[in-house]
Each structure stands twice: as structure tokens, then as C-alpha cells.
Amino acid sequence: MTRVLVLNGPNLGRLGVREPEIYGAASFPDLVAAAERWAGELGLEAEVRQTDDESQIVGWLHEAVDTRAHVVINPAAFTHYSYALRDAAAQVTTSGLLLVEVHLSNPAARESFRHHSVVSGVATGTVAGFGFDSYRLALSALAARLGS
Ligand code: DQA
């Protein structure tokens, strides 16, 4: 089965507690369950992970390349400044794998420091602003692109 790593950056483990008016009332375990279910329905095998650590998420992107897994990634605040994450994401897409950037909120409609993503330029595509549904749409676009 086609493997997808669903990677989540800093503070996303705090979903449900953190600014629920922006990110919603559901928890990270709720997101894991939903993403695994959606992936299964699409014929994909998703592994959902979260870290607050930049080197960890860079390592997971290297793992995606080495194990030929596609990626759905919410880089959270790393989106806006981590060139290390961007360079690791570039290795995924230049190796022929798909990488979809997702955001729960719509960063373009928020503070100006969120308007720029250093990741978008090396992503296959981006889905933002639909809450948990951003992940469902990303998985669905990935499955469609793969023809699965
Ligand atoms: C986020 C948007 C980022 O600007 C923010 O730093 C996050 C979450 C989102 O999913 O909307 O932590 O990536």
C-alpha cells in the first residue's frame, strides 16, 4: 500500500487547548484518528506524527526520501522561517515524491509574519484554511495524483 507520512510541527500537539477559536476544539489524537481513517478510505497508509523539534522533522523528511513515502506536512511556525525544513522538503519533491503543505487556518488572512511560507515553493501543492478538512483534502489530492 502507498505510504504517507503526515508530519506536524511545533505546538500542534496542543490542539484543542491552544487558541481553539483559531484551531478548533478537537485534539491532536482526534486529528490522528481522522487522518488515518481518511487515508484508509483513499487506499493510503498514513502514519501521523508530531514534534516540536526542528531536527526531528528534518529527519522525518529524510526518512520519507529513503523509504519512498509521500508526505503531508503542517510545518506550523517552521513554515515561515525554517530553511532547514524547506531544504529537506525539497529533497522529497526532487526525488519524485509528493509533498502537500497543509494548514488548519488560512495564514494569508492572519498576521503578516504568517503570509510567507518558505516551504510552498518546494511543495507539490498547499491546502490551507479548512481546519481538519485541510488534511482530508491534501490526502485526497495526493491519492488523485497517484491514481490510487
Ligand atoms: C498553522 C499556521 C502557522 O502560522 C502557525 O504557526 C501554526 C499552525 C496552521 O495549521 O494554521 O502553528 O500551520
Side-chain angles (χ1 to χ4, degrees):
M1 203 187 279
T2 304
R3 282 181 61 240
V4 183
L5 296 184
V6 181
L7 306 180
N8 294 276
N11 298 302
L12 292 170
R14 304 285 298 163
L15 286 177
V17 179
R18 171 196 186 198
E19 299 177 273
E21 64 287 0
I22 296 173
Y23 298 112
S27 67
F28 183 72
D30 294 335
L31 175 62
V32 174
E36 287 176 352
R37 179 166 46 81
W38 289 325
E41 288 166 3
L42 290 160
L44 305 168
E45 186 190 340
E47 198 178 319
V48 188
R49 304 178 187 172
Q50 189 274 327
T51 182
D52 294 334
D53 182 337
E54 187 178 23
S55 72
Q56 174 87 82
I57 208 159
V58 166
W60 287 342
L61 290 166
H62 296 167
E63 178 191 330
V65 174
D66 293 344
T67 64
R68 306 298 297 162
H70 301 283
V71 174
V72 169
I73 185 167
N74 184 343
F78 292 148
T79 305
H80 311 299
Y81 67 89
S82 175
Y83 296 122
L85 191 150
R86 182 241 181 251
D87 286 350
Q91 292 170 56
V92 175
T93 47
T94 59
S95 74
L97 294 160
L98 303 176
L99 180 144
V100 185
E101 176 186 356
V102 299
H103 298 283
L104 295 156
S105 67
N106 177 4
R110 299 180 61 197
E111 303 96 317
S112 59
F113 76 88
R114 298 185 200 276
H115 294 180
H116 183 62
S117 167
V118 300
V119 179
S120 294
V122 297
T124 309
T126 301
V127 182
F130 297 99
F132 279 15
D133 243 7
S134 291
Y135 290 76
R136 186 181 60 77
L137 294 164
L139 288 163
S140 164
L142 203 145
R145 178 66 71 91
L146 293 170
S148 79

